[in-house]
Amino acid sequence: MTAIDHNSLLASTQLVIEQALQRLGYGQDMVDLMKEPLRMLTVRIPVRMDDGKVQVFTGFRAQHNDAVGPTKGGVRFHPDVTEEEVKALSIWMSLKCGIADLPYGGGKGGIICDPRRMSFGELERLSRGYVRAISQMVGPNKDIPAPDVMTNSQVMAWMVDEYSHIREFDSPGFITGKPIVLGGSKGRETATAQGVVMMIFEALKVRGIALKDARVIVQGFGNAGSYLSKFMHEAGAKVVGISDVNGALYDPEGLDIPDLIDRRDSFGTVTNLFKNTITNEELLVQPCDILVPAAIENQITEDNAHQIQASIIVEAANGPTTIEATKIVTERGILLVPDVLASAGGVIVSYFEWVQNNQGYYWSEEEVMQKLQQLMTQGFNKVYETHQMKQVDMRLAAYMVGVRKTAEAARYRGWV
């Protein structure tokens, strides 16, 4: 057997997919089908920059598996986007949709760029160019993009407008995460954070920990992390630590979250305003009840897993805990709620947006949150029951629940 690079998102994802399918009784043919996307498109996007020069950007779109239905997943703008990362994230989207029982397969897209160094006009031209480049393989019944890292409702608005020009009819269901006035869903902006909070509540229940004054550390203070901190603070928990790319703040008595949110910039940085900061690495091992990695991948590793002092880890980021670290924290009795379950709120409310677009009838935010709560809680219960019944860690349990629907659909179609 070839050596596995456990720090590689794709390799580690494929390893757990294989374990999950084997546990479910599928053969190697199903593993071979599920470990890679069915389609992977690489595009080159020429953009006229503000200085008059043309810069060519590289973009990707992966469609993991459409046996269940259209593929679904975000588009990220980031300088470190890679083909391998996009492939792994498309597989995770299939798992999220399976856990939430949505009629989708997983998709994912990305463009290698740094939006922090681009003007508004340059970002618009890049967004529209990406849609033109991938327009043949996306659509409301084929593949439905959404916001992701460093993209937002404005980027989605440009993309849906460009798609409507290409198709010559209004297609609000082509993309989700749109502004409300263009067919977006109420509750979509905060959906990922709300879903994570719901999973924290469920984890606290099974661990018998009271929410009031529970100590929470949130690594990352971007869109998801700041909303998470706000919701937990408002619920009565004590947020004792937060971090951004510049460093971290920790106070065992609790941080003033509303003040930090008011002072953060548009990229979620606030720690540069303080002198008594610690590093992100130091924050992860501080005492707390709930640790929420909401930043980037591979933050909890075999090097620091033994030092984690939390009772519960809830992964809001993609892949923050390595396979080895998952094993270590599980053996130490820490309850880990994996990313494919904890961060499914975004795709669930994206599904609600797509449904509302298709039927032309829009729901109140209360109705959206009620439906989100129902699907997130059902997902947690299925994963936790599998974890207990099959005596596997929560990550493998989530993969088993998540991959089953797509595997069964592929089997019924006669693909394997």
Side-chain angles (χ1 to χ4, degrees):
M1 184 176 175
T2 55
I4 297 289
D5 177 5
H6 290 166
N7 289 322
S8 159
L9 291 183
L10 181 58
S12 58
T13 299
Q14 290 171 331
L15 180 63
V16 186
I17 281 280
E18 182 172 1
Q19 292 171 347
L21 288 167
Q22 287 172 348
R23 285 271 187 167
L24 292 169
Y26 291 101
Q28 188 60 39
D29 50 358
M30 187 65 80
V31 174
D32 291 341
L33 176 67
M34 302 291 281
K35 71 181 184 181
E36 288 273 349
L38 292 178
R39 299 173 202 88
M40 182 71 205
L41 179 67
T42 301
V43 296
R44 301 282 280 159
I45 310 159
V47 175
R48 180 79 60 184
M49 307 302 279
D50 290 347
D51 62 5
K53 296 178 182 177
V54 172
Q55 185 172 341
V56 181
F57 295 86
T58 299
F60 306 101
R61 188 70 190 173
Q63 296 174 347
H64 174 240
N65 195 295
D66 55 9
V68 170
T71 49
K72 180 87 187 76
V75 180
R76 56 181 49 190
F77 288 2
H78 198 277
D80 297 330
V81 167
T82 65
E83 179 177 337
E84 182 181 271
E85 176 190 49
V86 171
K87 283 183 176 182
L89 294 171
S90 74
I91 297 172
W92 289 352
M93 286 304 301
S94 285
L95 297 171
K96 289 181 183 182
C97 293
I99 291 169
D101 200 21
L102 306 182
Y104 291 143
K108 206 71 177 186
I111 301 174
I112 303 170
C113 67
D114 190 346
R116 294 166 294 192
R117 299 179 181 274
M118 298 174 69
S119 70
F120 208 61
E122 290 169 343
L123 282 172
E124 178 177 356
R125 293 191 288 276
L126 177 62
S127 302
R128 292 180 180 275
Y130 179 71
V131 171
R132 290 194 297 272
I134 67 170
S135 63
Q136 296 303 307
M137 65 182 283
V138 296
N141 296 306
K142 292 165 70 175
D143 182 17
I144 306 142
D148 202 273
V149 175
M150 292 198 202
T151 56
N152 54 25
S153 60
Q154 176 60 75
V155 173
M156 300 304 105
W158 291 326
M159 288 186 175
V160 75
D161 184 67
E162 190 66 25
Y163 188 80
S164 297
H165 285 308
I166 294 168
R167 290 288 172 257
E168 297 185 347
F169 58 84
D170 190 37
S171 304
F174 152 68
I175 209 163
T176 59
K178 303 179 295 292
I180 298 288
V181 294
L182 295 182
S185 175
K186 291 177 179 174
R188 174 62 185 86
E189 185 180 356
T190 63
T192 300
Q194 290 278 19
V196 175
V197 170
M198 291 169 186
M199 294 300 89
I200 291 173
F201 290 171
E202 294 302 315
L204 287 170
K205 281 183 200 172
V206 300
R207 277 298 160 100
I209 300 173
L211 171 65
K212 182 168 174 53
D213 294 329
R215 298 165 302 159
V216 184
I217 288 176
V218 180
Q219 187 207 26
F221 210 57
N223 182 58
S226 59
Y227 276 123
L228 268 169
S229 302
K230 176 177 182 285
F231 296 151
M232 294 308 296
H233 176 78
E234 291 173 348
K238 187 186 292 184
V239 181
V240 296
I242 64 99
S243 72
D244 56 34
V245 293
N246 296 318
L249 302 173
Y250 180 79
D251 184 344
E253 298 304 312
L255 297 167
D256 186 346
I257 296 302
D259 179 60
L260 293 176
I261 290 174
D262 284 344
R263 298 172 70 180
R264 68 190 279 272
D265 65 21
S266 59
F267 293 104
T269 55
V270 70
T271 62
N272 55 309
L273 303 177
F274 296 84
K275 290 181 180 177
N276 299 323
T277 60
I278 59 176
T279 66
N280 266 272
E281 293 76 19
E282 290 170 328
L283 180 68
L284 290 171
V285 298
Q286 298 302 314
C288 65
D289 298 300
I290 305 145
L291 174 60
V292 186
I296 57 175
E297 67 271 6
N298 297 332
Q299 294 300 291
I300 303 174
T301 68
E302 59 184 329
D303 295 330
N304 63 4
H306 289 289
Q307 301 168 269
I308 300 295
Q309 298 189 61
S311 298
I312 298 166
I313 298 172
V314 181
E315 297 182 334
N318 289 316
T321 312
T322 65
I323 290 177
E324 294 93 340
T326 298
K327 185 170 183 286
I328 292 167
V329 298
T330 301
E331 288 174 349
R332 292 184 58 213
I334 297 170
L335 176 64
L336 186 146
V337 183
D339 46 12
V340 291
L341 168 59
S343 63
V347 70
I348 290 173
V349 178
S350 278
Y351 165 63
F352 295 161
E353 181 175 331
W354 180 76
V355 169
Q356 292 169 84
N357 293 156
N358 288 342
Q359 64 184 9
Y361 178 76
Y362 292 84
W363 310 336
S364 67
E365 185 164 356
E366 291 76 16
E367 188 171 356
V368 170
M369 287 300 122
Q370 183 181 12
K371 293 178 187 294
L372 174 62
Q373 176 80 59
Q374 181 181 358
L375 290 185
M376 290 296 299
T377 303
Q378 286 175 358
F380 181 90
N381 290 338
K382 284 188 290 186
V383 171
Y384 192 72
E385 286 168 12
T386 302
H387 155 67
Q388 289 189 307
M389 288 175 59
K390 302 293 186 182
Q391 293 294 293
V392 296
D393 65 56
M394 285 283 284
R395 189 179 312 285
L396 182 52
Y399 274 56
M400 290 170 67
V401 172
V403 79
R404 188 194 301 270
K405 184 170 184 173
T406 303
E408 279 297 281
R411 185 179 65 81
Y412 273 116
R413 285 180 179 274
W415 291 0
V416 294

